[in-house]
Amino acid sequence: MRVSETPILRTRAGRLPRRARRAQLLEVALEVFVEQGYHAASMDEIAERAGVSKPVVYQHFPGKLDLYLALLESSCDEVVDDIKRALASTQDNRHRVEATMQLWYQYVADQGAAFRLVFESDLTNDPDVREQVDRVVRESALAIAEVIREDTGLPQDAAYLLAVSLVGMGHVGARNWLAEASSLSQQDAVRLVGRLAWRGIGGFPRDVTDADGAE
């Protein structure tokens, strides 16, 4: 997550402005939740690590679940926004595929903590948490499906199915690459999976007019 990128500016009294304090609390909470899981994490420890009293934490977040959901929403928003930027970065569809695969592996490699918060939550039985996790896949796939639909003429449902499959290939593959401590470098893994994805989606020509691929 990029919560740490928020400037931490102190007032003359040594207190943080509200936005900066919120960013600090989110950053500290991310560490605690990833280390201990939702159930074992406590607001007391988050407050202690942030160097504030527990009432200060409650001024920003009414409860532990509210804090967790704020973290989750921020991380999910980041993933979806990055997918959209990757798609908009080029008009070359092969490069788009490579860019989206690169995004997933970069996200895992550089922001493993946030990635685990989203995809390895121990609170997925909570409907609000499950909705945020599902939203990453759904909104990422919708963005990719729009490009597929515009380029191929496939119906929305067909384009969306292909897009969901690409998203799964990206984040599931990246998770496995990280968990198994693969001997493949990140660059090699992205190149390999990107080639596989392109050989699949690249087989749908721009003049396809139905879900069966008939012209």
Side-chain angles (χ1 to χ4, degrees), residues 83 87 96-97 100-101 104 134-150 152 154-172 197 200-202 204:
I83 286 286
L87 293 171
R96 279 173 167 157
V97 170
T100 54
M101 292 303 161
W104 289 111
D134 291 344
R135 181 170 69 87
V136 175
V137 174
R138 183 176 65 253
E139 294 190 8
S140 297
L142 283 171
I144 296 170
E146 183 62 20
V147 174
I148 294 173
R149 188 188 62 78
E150 290 177 354
T152 66
L154 283 169
Q156 177 62 26
D157 286 351
Y160 182 74
L161 179 59
L162 292 174
V164 168
S165 300
L166 288 173
V167 170
M169 186 182 296
H171 83 74
V172 173
I201 197 65
F204 292 87

Side-chain angles (χ1 to χ4, degrees), residues 166-188:
L166 288 173
V167 170
M169 186 182 296
H171 83 74
V172 173
R175 288 172 63 187
N176 179 267
W177 171 78
L178 180 68
E180 298 297 326
S182 174
S183 61
L184 288 171
S185 68
Q186 179 183 329
Q187 182 179 9
D188 288 341

Side-chain angles (χ1 to χ4, degrees), residues 122-140:
D122 62 347
L123 198 63
T124 53
N125 60 321
D126 182 277
D128 291 330
V129 172
R130 185 71 255 167
E131 166 58 24
Q132 288 297 323
V133 175
D134 291 344
R135 181 170 69 87
V136 175
V137 174
R138 183 176 65 253
E139 294 190 8
S140 297

Side-chain angles (χ1 to χ4, degrees), residues 4-5 14 31 33 38 59 75 77 82 116 120 123 127 133 141 150 154 162 176 180 189 211:
S4 60
E5 294 179 3
E31 296 175 357
F33 283 131
Y38 174 82
Q59 288 174 7
S75 186
D77 286 343
D82 283 349
R116 289 193 293 274
E120 297 175 8
L123 198 63
V133 175
E150 290 177 354
L154 283 169
L162 292 174
N176 179 267
E180 298 297 326

Side-chain angles (χ1 to χ4, degrees), residues 184-212:
L184 288 171
S185 68
Q186 179 183 329
Q187 182 179 9
D188 288 341
V190 169
R191 185 183 300 115
L192 190 65
V193 177
R195 186 182 304 167
L196 172 64
W198 174 246
R199 287 185 175 179
I201 197 65
F204 292 87
R206 291 179 181 271
D207 60 352
V208 167
T209 58
D210 60 47
D212 296 323

